[in-house]
Each structure stands twice: as C-alpha cells, then as structure tokens.
Amino acid sequence: MSEPPRFDRGHTDDLMSFLTASPSPYHAVASTAERLEKAGFRQVAETDAWDGTTGGKYVLRGGAIIAWYVPEGAAPHTPFRIVGAHTDSPNLRVKPLPDTGAHGWRQVAVEIYGGPLLNSWLDRDLGLAGRLTLRDGSTRLVNVDRPLLRVPQLAIHLDRSVSAEGLKLDKQRHLQPVWGLGHDVRDGDLIAFLEEESGLGAGEVTGWDLMTHSVEPPAYLGRDQELLAGPRMDNLLSVHSAVAALTAVAAGGSELPCIPVLAAFDHEENGSQSDTGADGPLLGNVLERSVFARGGSFEDRARAFAGTVCLSSDTGHAVHPNYAERHDPTHHPRVNGGPILKVNVNNRYATDGSGRAVFAAACEKAGVPFQSFVSNNSMPCGTTIGPITAARHGIRTVDIGVAILSMHSVRELCGADDPFLLANALVAFLEA
C-alpha cells in the first residue's frame, strides 16, 4: 500500500537552490553538511575514536561525504540501507600553472575533467569555483559566481567547413578560456586574484583544486514549466534527493529496521579510483567503524554487510525525440515518468532480478511509478558506482536514477516532477 508522498514540486525548487550553491564537489559536500546539521546530524572526525551513540552522524573527506543515522536499539549486526551517488561533474579544471595567453589575450590554462560535451562549454559566461589550500594546511572554499571566463568559438567566416563537416575541437588548443587583455602573462595572477576575492593575504594560497562553471541559473522550461534546465544534474540531483530522504527518515526513525546511509563520492566521472571515490576504502571504513563502535565483532560486520542493500542513484538517458534510433526500441524512458531502473547483463550496472524487486517494492510503497532502461545492443553502455560498490564491499546493489537529456552538457534537462518522485522512492527504500 502506498503512503502519502513526503515531497512535491517544492523539492524541485529546493534542488535549484542546491545546484546553484554547489558549483564544485567541495561546495556540494558543504551544502549537504549544512542540511544535515540543520536536521540534527553531527560531524565525526576520522582521526577521533567513535562511540556507539544513536542519532545522525557524517564524515567529510574532500569532495565526498558519508552520512548515517543509527536508530534506537540498533544492534551491531543491523544491516544498512545505502543510497550511493557522486558529487563531481564533467568540466574544465585549472592546471597547476594557470596563467597563460597569446596575441594580447590573457587566458587560464585548463584541463578536461571527465567526459564533457565540449561544444556546450563554448560561448558561455563561466565562473570559477573550488578549494584553496593555505600555507598552514587549512582549506577555503572559493566561488566567483559571475562572468569571469569564456571559451570563444571561432567565427563561421573563418571555418566555413563547420556547417558541412561538423565542429572539431582540439582539447589542448581550442578550450583555453579568456579572462582579460594584456601582452604580459604574469605567473601568479589568477591565484592572486582569488586570494583577493577570498579576503586572503598575498602568498597564503599554496594549492588549489579549481574548476569552471556556467553562471546561468537553473530554470523551469516549457509552456507549462514541465521541464527543468540546469547544471550538474549528473549527479547532484541524486545527492540532493538522497540527503532530503535521509533527513526525512531520520526525523521519524526511532523504529527503523536498518541503518540508513547516504554515500556521495567524488571522481565518479574519471573512474572512482581515489581516496574519495567509490573504488576507495571510505565507505567500507565508515560502515565497519559504525559496527565496531556499537560493540560489534567481525562476525557482526559480516552479518550486517550480508543484509545490506545499496541503491546507486545516478542520472540516465531519457529517450531523445531527435535520436530515438540510438535507444533500445522497446525501452524508452520518458521524463516525468518516474525514476529509472538501469539494467545491463554485462554488469555495467549492478541490477539483477532480486534488486529489481527491492526497488519495485520501494516505489510501490511510495506510490511512485518507475521505468526500465537498457542500452541499445549496438551502443556501448555507460557505468556507475553500482558495480564498484557491489564488488568492493560484497553488498547487493541496484542501479537507478532519473532520466535526463543532454547528459554531460554544461546544462542538462530533466522533468520537473522526477526529482521529487525519486526522493519519495528513496524514503520508502531507506525505511524498509
């Protein structure tokens, strides 16, 4: 029997604020932590001894965050219910020696992160955001959220072949943004500018992790505002729905049969192999330490993991009206049709039949429709943190998400109803 929904269109309004406040993985983690703190969660340091107290807790590491809620009466072998997601998105990232230029233009040297749709970054007003590391080892978030940089496209008059042959971009030569004029390139100019923007003294910044973002805000789209256009939906849409679901479940979670968990990782877009990626030890360490802090043994840990289920939530492909032949002919996920269940028999997704049953039960309980996605047999299939989580931790994992268009564009498109439909399904899953 379905329950009254926890979230409605107001959830999508809030998603827009979350996307704007999260131009980098570090900002996304800070935004998530702020929401958790307001819900009564408290941060625990990895370097401290942990206790077995009940309530909401979270761990921060770089661009990753793991949060969990221990209900009253939870035993050491109590299983977990995990929603996995990732905080990073494809973009242009600043190189170690950022100051460059030519022919009277001042430019910023950037490197391609992940697999962005490169043409979508052309002729956009771009800001700059990320993390500054100071001389004393501390870090400071920075966000220049105004038009600062631009990757100018070559005029068609200088490349008549583009209409017939299509746009061809050299990643090294054609994607370096401009940010001013001047014949003399001065090393240190960009970082000095960011120090001033952040209220820091000259020479305080000794390290940086910086990236570009479009400053155009998210917006409803269409005659009836049925669509949402915005940046970084892959995969901050899932992070936002997951933290909303976790805090909702924790608010009334005294009788929970499992321990609900949010695991939002960095570096999914380039393979997840880092200390903050899904292929690193962070999630396993947190789950194990939670078991041991409640007095558990290795046997309790094994029992808890054996009963654990993870929903790996990431965006997927809605059927494209202009390229329908690229999709499987019998699987056409549509926007505003509810979350999608991702299936690939070659384990690019982790879903199997038993996992499908888990997700179907959650959607039925929440009164949320869901759809199925498989790739066209003639097309290679993408992947997610799902198979990594299943293989690394021995945890049953199900790949799900929201269907979107323009994936990996600087500005993606989803149905305005799908974010809150996903959040309602996640609540039902975490409560089960």
Side-chain angles (χ1 to χ4, degrees):
M1 181 180 295
S2 64
E3 297 181 349
R6 306 287 183 95
F7 304 108
D8 54 21
R9 183 62 74 88
H11 174 89
T12 307
D13 294 337
D14 188 61
L15 169 62
M16 296 166 73
S17 298
F18 184 78
L19 293 172
T20 300
S22 307
S24 77
Y26 314 107
H27 288 84
V29 163
S31 299
T32 299
E34 181 180 1
R35 291 163 183 261
L36 291 169
E37 289 281 351
K38 288 180 179 178
F41 284 65
R42 63 181 179 86
Q43 183 178 358
V44 294
E46 292 185 81
T47 53
D48 290 345
W50 292 6
D51 58 43
T53 56
T54 59
K57 306 172 185 182
Y58 67 93
V59 164
L60 297 181
R61 185 192 289 185
I65 184 168
I66 312 291
W68 66 103
Y69 179 82
V70 181
E72 294 285 347
H77 62 270
T78 298
F80 301 93
R81 283 262 166 153
I82 305 168
V83 178
H86 66 89
T87 61
D88 60 319
S89 300
N91 54 24
L92 311 178
R93 301 204 172 187
V94 175
K95 289 184 175 181
L97 299 176
D99 299 293
T100 187
H103 305 289
W105 292 96
R106 298 175 68 191
Q107 295 176 274
V108 174
V110 296
E111 191 173 4
I112 312 302
Y113 178 83
L117 283 172
L118 296 177
N119 63 293
S120 72
W121 288 87
L122 302 178
D123 298 331
R124 294 272 185 178
D125 296 336
L126 303 176
L128 197 62
R131 178 179 66 176
L132 302 174
T133 302
L134 309 187
R135 193 170 295 278
D136 63 4
S138 63
T139 59
R140 180 80 61 88
L141 295 183
V142 62
N143 181 14
V144 183
D145 195 29
R146 65 178 186 273
L148 180 68
L149 308 109
R150 185 180 179 92
V151 183
Q153 188 170 190
L154 184 66
I156 193 170
H157 312 80
L158 303 179
D159 183 13
R160 296 288 184 180
S161 66
V162 70
S163 295
E165 300 176 12
L167 181 65
K168 298 178 182 179
L169 295 172
D170 183 290
K171 293 180 180 180
Q172 178 61 38
R173 295 185 296 124
H174 298 154
L175 290 165
Q176 307 307 310
V178 300
W179 75 305
L181 299 175
H183 289 281
D184 296 326
V185 175
R186 297 185 296 270
D187 290 340
D189 269 5
L190 179 66
I191 300 307
F193 165 76
L194 294 175
E195 287 173 332
E196 184 177 352
E197 285 283 315
S198 304
L200 297 169
E204 282 195 64
V205 173
T206 56
W208 52 87
D209 302 279
L210 300 167
M211 58 207 71
T212 57
H213 66 275
S214 171
V215 298
E216 185 179 3
Y220 288 110
L221 186 146
R223 183 193 66 181
D224 300 317
Q225 297 192 328
E226 298 170 291
L227 304 170
L228 176 65
R232 300 177 295 281
M233 292 186 189
D234 179 11
N235 185 32
L236 294 187
L237 188 159
S238 293
V239 175
H240 176 261
S241 287
V243 70
L246 177 62
T247 53
V249 168
S254 59
E255 301 297 325
L256 290 173
C258 297
I259 296 173
V261 179
L262 160 65
F265 301 101
D266 201 354
H267 301 130
E268 189 271 351
E269 297 293 356
N270 62 7
S272 295
Q273 291 185 322
S274 71
D275 68 323
T276 53
D279 204 18
L282 182 59
L283 176 60
N285 287 349
V286 169
L287 299 183
E288 289 180 353
R289 291 185 68 178
S290 176
V291 170
F292 299 150
R294 284 176 280 120
S297 62
F298 181 81
E299 181 72 12
D300 292 311
R301 179 261 187 216
R303 293 175 64 189
F305 277 43
T308 292
V309 185
C310 173
L311 290 187
S312 164
S313 183
D314 203 347
T315 54
H317 302 295
V319 61
H320 197 301
N322 299 337
Y323 301 90
E325 72 281 0
R326 299 297 183 100
H327 300 265
D328 182 85
T330 59
H331 294 78
H332 282 175
R334 56 185 178 84
V335 299
N336 287 335
I340 56 174
L341 181 76
K342 302 179 183 180
V343 178
N344 179 264
V345 295
N346 293 305
N347 285 341
R348 300 292 287 174
Y349 302 129
T351 307
D352 62 10
S354 63
R356 184 187 191 281
V358 170
F359 186 58
C363 289
E364 181 179 6
K365 180 181 177 183
V368 169
F370 75 93
Q371 311 172 81
S372 294
F373 171 84
V374 296
S375 290
N376 185 306
N377 285 335
S378 300
M379 304 288 293
C381 181
T383 190
T384 68
I385 65 168
I388 294 171
T389 303
R392 182 170 183 85
H393 306 294
I395 289 172
R396 181 164 49 149
T397 303
V398 188
D399 272 299
I400 65 161
V402 162
I404 69 171
L405 293 182
S406 304
M407 186 183 294
H408 287 198
S409 171
V410 74
R411 196 166 177 83
E412 297 162 323
L413 185 70
C414 76
D417 295 342
D418 282 328
F420 68 79
L421 293 175
L422 173 64
N424 284 313
L426 296 182
V427 168
F429 167 74
L430 292 176
E431 287 180 334

